[in-house]
Amino acid sequence: DLAAELGLGDGEVLLDYPEKTQMLDLDLPVQLRSGAVARLTSAGLPGVIHLPELSAQLYKSARWLRIFTAQPATISKQRVLQLVSWS
């Protein structure tokens, strides 16, 4: 309906609202300067990277409603608010 309202075809509008709370959920082997290998997980790497905090910050900064269109289109802030409050 929104695509038609904006004069676009089916599939030409994408509403994106990221909801992945574990933005850095991983399990990687990392070679340290000493040559030792440690596992970098979502818990972080003690003394090096605090991934839980970094992940929370990334999640907060990425958590924006975004509207992508295949062609340039204009939509009012009021219309976006109507869309997101529709149940």
Side-chain angles (χ1 to χ4, degrees):
D1 289 345
L2 180 58
E5 181 179 320
L6 296 174
L8 301 170
D10 289 348
E12 291 190 324
V13 175
L14 171 70
L15 276 71
D16 179 39
Y17 191 55
E19 195 174 343
K20 182 178 179 191
T21 56
Q22 293 297 323
M23 298 291 276
L24 297 175
D25 194 19
L26 45 80
D27 185 7
L28 299 171
V30 176
Q31 185 172 15
L32 304 175
R33 288 183 183 161
S34 67
V37 176
R39 287 212 98 41
L40 177 58
T41 67
S42 58
L45 193 57
V48 180
I49 300 173
H50 191 265
L51 282 181
E53 181 180 331
L54 183 60
S55 180
Q57 291 173 0
L58 180 59
Y59 176 70
K60 184 178 179 183
S61 69
R63 188 110 166 112
W64 291 91
L65 171 67
R66 295 173 289 189
I67 301 173
F68 298 96
T69 59
Q71 303 294 324
T74 302
I75 185 170
S76 71
K77 180 180 177 180
Q78 291 76 21
R79 182 64 178 124
V80 172
L81 291 173
Q82 286 176 335
L83 289 170
V84 299
S85 62
W86 183 47
S87 57

